mmCIF file with all atom_site columns, all heavy atoms in Angstrom:
data_model
loop_
_atom_site.group_PDB
_atom_site.id
_atom_site.type_symbol
_atom_site.label_atom_id
_atom_site.label_alt_id
_atom_site.label_comp_id
_atom_site.label_asym_id
_atom_site.label_entity_id
_atom_site.label_seq_id
_atom_site.pdbx_PDB_ins_code
_atom_site.Cartn_x
_atom_site.Cartn_y
_atom_site.Cartn_z
_atom_site.occupancy
_atom_site.B_iso_or_equiv
_atom_site.pdbx_formal_charge
_atom_site.auth_seq_id
_atom_site.auth_comp_id
_atom_site.auth_asym_id
_atom_site.auth_atom_id
_atom_site.pdbx_PDB_model_num
ATOM   1  N  N   . CYS A 1 80  ? 72.355 22.463 -122.887 1.00 0.00 ? 80  CYS A N   1
ATOM   2  C  CA  . CYS A 1 80  ? 71.529 23.346 -122.044 1.00 0.00 ? 80  CYS A CA  1
ATOM   3  C  C   . CYS A 1 80  ? 70.150 22.692 -121.840 1.00 0.00 ? 80  CYS A C   1
ATOM   4  O  O   . CYS A 1 80  ? 69.515 22.191 -122.771 1.00 0.00 ? 80  CYS A O   1
ATOM   5  C  CB  . CYS A 1 80  ? 71.298 24.734 -122.793 1.00 0.00 ? 80  CYS A CB  1
ATOM   6  S  SG  . CYS A 1 80  ? 70.470 25.898 -121.773 1.00 0.00 ? 80  CYS A SG  1
ATOM   7  N  N   . PRO A 1 81  ? 69.701 22.673 -120.627 1.00 0.00 ? 81  PRO A N   1
ATOM   8  C  CA  . PRO A 1 81  ? 70.092 23.378 -119.453 1.00 0.00 ? 81  PRO A CA  1
ATOM   9  C  C   . PRO A 1 81  ? 70.859 22.488 -118.350 1.00 0.00 ? 81  PRO A C   1
ATOM   10 O  O   . PRO A 1 81  ? 70.771 22.731 -117.222 1.00 0.00 ? 81  PRO A O   1
ATOM   11 C  CB  . PRO A 1 81  ? 68.787 23.817 -118.766 1.00 0.00 ? 81  PRO A CB  1
ATOM   12 C  CG  . PRO A 1 81  ? 67.736 22.746 -119.068 1.00 0.00 ? 81  PRO A CG  1
ATOM   13 C  CD  . PRO A 1 81  ? 68.261 22.137 -120.463 1.00 0.00 ? 81  PRO A CD  1
ATOM   14 N  N   . ASP A 1 83  ? 74.152 21.766 -118.210 1.00 0.00 ? 83  ASP A N   1
ATOM   15 C  CA  . ASP A 1 83  ? 75.631 21.975 -118.088 1.00 0.00 ? 83  ASP A CA  1
ATOM   16 C  C   . ASP A 1 83  ? 76.002 23.306 -117.238 1.00 0.00 ? 83  ASP A C   1
ATOM   17 O  O   . ASP A 1 83  ? 77.034 23.749 -117.369 1.00 0.00 ? 83  ASP A O   1
ATOM   18 C  CB  . ASP A 1 83  ? 76.268 22.162 -119.437 1.00 0.00 ? 83  ASP A CB  1
ATOM   19 C  CG  . ASP A 1 83  ? 76.177 20.960 -120.361 1.00 0.00 ? 83  ASP A CG  1
ATOM   20 O  OD1 . ASP A 1 83  ? 76.271 19.838 -119.780 1.00 0.00 ? 83  ASP A OD1 1
ATOM   21 O  OD2 . ASP A 1 83  ? 76.111 21.128 -121.586 1.00 0.00 ? 83  ASP A OD2 1
ATOM   22 N  N   . CYS A 1 84  ? 75.078 23.750 -116.449 1.00 0.00 ? 84  CYS A N   1
ATOM   23 C  CA  . CYS A 1 84  ? 75.356 24.997 -115.661 1.00 0.00 ? 84  CYS A CA  1
ATOM   24 C  C   . CYS A 1 84  ? 76.509 24.678 -114.698 1.00 0.00 ? 84  CYS A C   1
ATOM   25 O  O   . CYS A 1 84  ? 76.556 23.567 -114.163 1.00 0.00 ? 84  CYS A O   1
ATOM   26 C  CB  . CYS A 1 84  ? 74.182 25.362 -114.914 1.00 0.00 ? 84  CYS A CB  1
ATOM   27 S  SG  . CYS A 1 84  ? 72.687 25.775 -115.902 1.00 0.00 ? 84  CYS A SG  1
ATOM   28 N  N   . GLY A 1 85  ? 77.259 25.721 -114.355 1.00 0.00 ? 85  GLY A N   1
ATOM   29 C  CA  . GLY A 1 85  ? 77.603 26.799 -115.277 1.00 0.00 ? 85  GLY A CA  1
ATOM   30 C  C   . GLY A 1 85  ? 78.437 27.728 -114.576 1.00 0.00 ? 85  GLY A C   1
ATOM   31 O  O   . GLY A 1 85  ? 79.042 27.390 -113.543 1.00 0.00 ? 85  GLY A O   1
ATOM   32 N  N   . LEU A 1 86  ? 78.760 28.779 -115.238 1.00 0.00 ? 86  LEU A N   1
ATOM   33 C  CA  . LEU A 1 86  ? 78.400 29.003 -116.589 1.00 0.00 ? 86  LEU A CA  1
ATOM   34 C  C   . LEU A 1 86  ? 79.150 28.198 -117.578 1.00 0.00 ? 86  LEU A C   1
ATOM   35 O  O   . LEU A 1 86  ? 80.384 27.945 -117.419 1.00 0.00 ? 86  LEU A O   1
ATOM   36 C  CB  . LEU A 1 86  ? 78.562 30.516 -116.976 1.00 0.00 ? 86  LEU A CB  1
ATOM   37 C  CG  . LEU A 1 86  ? 77.777 31.483 -116.081 1.00 0.00 ? 86  LEU A CG  1
ATOM   38 C  CD1 . LEU A 1 86  ? 78.051 32.909 -116.521 1.00 0.00 ? 86  LEU A CD1 1
ATOM   39 C  CD2 . LEU A 1 86  ? 76.323 31.188 -116.090 1.00 0.00 ? 86  LEU A CD2 1
ATOM   40 N  N   . CYS A 1 87  ? 78.425 27.608 -118.539 1.00 0.00 ? 87  CYS A N   1
ATOM   41 C  CA  . CYS A 1 87  ? 79.106 26.903 -119.604 1.00 0.00 ? 87  CYS A CA  1
ATOM   42 C  C   . CYS A 1 87  ? 79.366 27.854 -120.760 1.00 0.00 ? 87  CYS A C   1
ATOM   43 O  O   . CYS A 1 87  ? 78.825 28.964 -120.784 1.00 0.00 ? 87  CYS A O   1
ATOM   44 C  CB  . CYS A 1 87  ? 78.182 25.748 -120.009 1.00 0.00 ? 87  CYS A CB  1
ATOM   45 S  SG  . CYS A 1 87  ? 76.881 26.140 -121.198 1.00 0.00 ? 87  CYS A SG  1
ATOM   46 N  N   . ALA A 1 89  ? 78.156 28.024 -123.553 1.00 0.00 ? 89  ALA A N   1
ATOM   47 C  CA  . ALA A 1 89  ? 76.973 28.427 -124.412 1.00 0.00 ? 89  ALA A CA  1
ATOM   48 C  C   . ALA A 1 89  ? 76.198 29.650 -123.804 1.00 0.00 ? 89  ALA A C   1
ATOM   49 O  O   . ALA A 1 89  ? 75.273 30.173 -124.448 1.00 0.00 ? 89  ALA A O   1
ATOM   50 C  CB  . ALA A 1 89  ? 76.070 27.284 -124.609 1.00 0.00 ? 89  ALA A CB  1
ATOM   51 N  N   . HIS A 1 90  ? 76.497 29.918 -122.466 1.00 0.00 ? 90  HIS A N   1
ATOM   52 C  CA  . HIS A 1 90  ? 75.713 31.045 -121.845 1.00 0.00 ? 90  HIS A CA  1
ATOM   53 C  C   . HIS A 1 90  ? 76.088 32.325 -122.457 1.00 0.00 ? 90  HIS A C   1
ATOM   54 O  O   . HIS A 1 90  ? 77.242 32.595 -122.767 1.00 0.00 ? 90  HIS A O   1
ATOM   55 C  CB  . HIS A 1 90  ? 75.880 31.024 -120.285 1.00 0.00 ? 90  HIS A CB  1
ATOM   56 C  CG  . HIS A 1 90  ? 74.917 31.627 -119.545 1.00 0.00 ? 90  HIS A CG  1
ATOM   57 N  ND1 . HIS A 1 90  ? 73.616 30.994 -119.322 1.00 0.00 ? 90  HIS A ND1 1
ATOM   58 C  CD2 . HIS A 1 90  ? 74.734 32.917 -119.167 1.00 0.00 ? 90  HIS A CD2 1
ATOM   59 C  CE1 . HIS A 1 90  ? 72.880 31.900 -118.609 1.00 0.00 ? 90  HIS A CE1 1
ATOM   60 N  NE2 . HIS A 1 90  ? 73.500 33.081 -118.569 1.00 0.00 ? 90  HIS A NE2 1
ATOM   61 N  N   . VAL A 1 427 ? 66.905 31.410 -121.415 1.00 0.00 ? 427 VAL A N   1
ATOM   62 C  CA  . VAL A 1 427 ? 67.701 31.244 -120.163 1.00 0.00 ? 427 VAL A CA  1
ATOM   63 C  C   . VAL A 1 427 ? 69.214 31.472 -120.382 1.00 0.00 ? 427 VAL A C   1
ATOM   64 O  O   . VAL A 1 427 ? 69.887 31.815 -119.444 1.00 0.00 ? 427 VAL A O   1
ATOM   65 C  CB  . VAL A 1 427 ? 67.478 29.736 -119.604 1.00 0.00 ? 427 VAL A CB  1
ATOM   66 C  CG1 . VAL A 1 427 ? 68.391 28.729 -120.206 1.00 0.00 ? 427 VAL A CG1 1
ATOM   67 C  CG2 . VAL A 1 427 ? 67.591 29.806 -118.116 1.00 0.00 ? 427 VAL A CG2 1
ATOM   68 N  N   . LYS A 1 428 ? 69.627 31.392 -121.641 1.00 0.00 ? 428 LYS A N   1
ATOM   69 C  CA  . LYS A 1 428 ? 71.104 31.659 -121.871 1.00 0.00 ? 428 LYS A CA  1
ATOM   70 C  C   . LYS A 1 428 ? 71.460 33.017 -121.620 1.00 0.00 ? 428 LYS A C   1
ATOM   71 O  O   . LYS A 1 428 ? 72.558 33.407 -121.533 1.00 0.00 ? 428 LYS A O   1
ATOM   72 C  CB  . LYS A 1 428 ? 71.390 31.212 -123.355 1.00 0.00 ? 428 LYS A CB  1
ATOM   73 C  CG  . LYS A 1 428 ? 71.518 29.793 -123.562 1.00 0.00 ? 428 LYS A CG  1
ATOM   74 C  CD  . LYS A 1 428 ? 71.814 29.340 -124.931 1.00 0.00 ? 428 LYS A CD  1
ATOM   75 C  CE  . LYS A 1 428 ? 71.891 27.863 -124.991 1.00 0.00 ? 428 LYS A CE  1
ATOM   76 N  NZ  . LYS A 1 428 ? 71.833 27.287 -126.334 1.00 0.00 ? 428 LYS A NZ  1
ATOM   77 N  N   . PRO A 1 443 ? 72.277 30.049 -113.456 1.00 0.00 ? 443 PRO A N   1
ATOM   78 C  CA  . PRO A 1 443 ? 71.246 30.951 -113.586 1.00 0.00 ? 443 PRO A CA  1
ATOM   79 C  C   . PRO A 1 443 ? 70.097 30.678 -112.579 1.00 0.00 ? 443 PRO A C   1
ATOM   80 O  O   . PRO A 1 443 ? 69.841 29.437 -112.394 1.00 0.00 ? 443 PRO A O   1
ATOM   81 C  CB  . PRO A 1 443 ? 70.766 30.742 -115.057 1.00 0.00 ? 443 PRO A CB  1
ATOM   82 C  CG  . PRO A 1 443 ? 72.035 30.190 -115.735 1.00 0.00 ? 443 PRO A CG  1
ATOM   83 C  CD  . PRO A 1 443 ? 72.767 29.334 -114.714 1.00 0.00 ? 443 PRO A CD  1
HETATM 84 S  S1  . SF4 B 2 .   ? 71.570 27.906 -118.827 1.00 0.00 ? 501 SF4 B S1  1
HETATM 85 FE FE1 . SF4 B 2 .   ? 73.533 28.745 -119.461 1.00 0.00 ? 501 SF4 B FE1 1
HETATM 86 S  S2  . SF4 B 2 .   ? 75.152 27.868 -118.170 1.00 0.00 ? 501 SF4 B S2  1
HETATM 87 FE FE2 . SF4 B 2 .   ? 73.248 26.572 -117.998 1.00 0.00 ? 501 SF4 B FE2 1
HETATM 88 S  S3  . SF4 B 2 .   ? 73.540 25.050 -119.566 1.00 0.00 ? 501 SF4 B S3  1
HETATM 89 FE FE3 . SF4 B 2 .   ? 72.280 26.677 -120.444 1.00 0.00 ? 501 SF4 B FE3 1
HETATM 90 S  S4  . SF4 B 2 .   ? 73.850 27.943 -121.445 1.00 0.00 ? 501 SF4 B S4  1
HETATM 91 FE FE4 . SF4 B 2 .   ? 74.956 26.697 -120.078 1.00 0.00 ? 501 SF4 B FE4 1
#
Side-chain angles (χ1 to χ4, degrees):
C80 181
D83 295 328
C84 300
L86 297 182
C87 83
H90 201 81
V427 85
K428 284 178 180 167

